Amino acid sequence: MTVTVTSEVLAALLAEARAGGSHEVCGLLYGSENAIAAHCPCANVHPEPHHRFEIDPAALVGAHRAMREGGPRLIGYYHSHPAGPLEPSATDEALAAKDGMLWAIVGERRVTLWRAGDDGLTPLAYRVTGA
């Protein structure tokens, strides 16, 4: 299965990862099951942001509330690996719910996509669209 992602979202994720320096950045992904149309940066509230992330719980609650009220559909999450491979870490695998949500892992020059399921985080191909 191939997921589409807008060039605008892709560029923004890469810029955010670069700007985050040695800290992991994180946020929310919006769209449909197989298309990422928007993102929302969130505060990384983990006490060790150099090698862990935790999306601000208030942002997650707000995203779910907005979705219930007809707002954009939350389809996944993203975070950066500033100094590591763009593959899920053991911690990522352990924390991912088996809920079908997308996970984007962002580096300085590249983004990888994964879907959380019964077999853990499985890699996904994606193609970039104009907007």
Side-chain angles (χ1 to χ4, degrees), residues 33-88:
E33 183 178 354
N34 296 314
I36 301 170
H39 81 293
C40 178
C42 297
N44 179 353
V45 298
H46 196 282
E48 299 174 15
H50 287 295
H51 59 277
R52 297 276 191 269
F53 82 99
E54 180 181 347
I55 294 172
D56 182 354
L60 283 170
V61 169
H64 285 283
R65 181 176 294 125
M67 193 168 54
R68 281 195 312 272
E69 295 171 356
R73 180 179 173 198
L74 178 65
I75 59 166
Y77 319 99
Y78 70 90
H79 71 284
S80 64
H81 282 183
L86 296 182
E87 298 166 354

Side-chain angles (χ1 to χ4, degrees), residues 12-27:
L13 295 181
L14 292 167
E16 187 179 341
R18 282 190 297 276
S22 64
H23 284 116
E24 290 196 20
V25 299
C26 58

Side-chain angles (χ1 to χ4, degrees), residues 1-13:
M1 168 185 318
T2 300
V3 175
T4 61
V5 58
T6 68
S7 57
E8 181 180 301
V9 168
L10 193 63
L13 295 181

Side-chain angles (χ1 to χ4, degrees), residues 88-97 103 114 119-122:
S89 67
T91 301
D92 293 339
E93 287 282 356
L95 294 178
W103 281 56
W114 309 81
D119 296 325
L121 292 168
T122 56

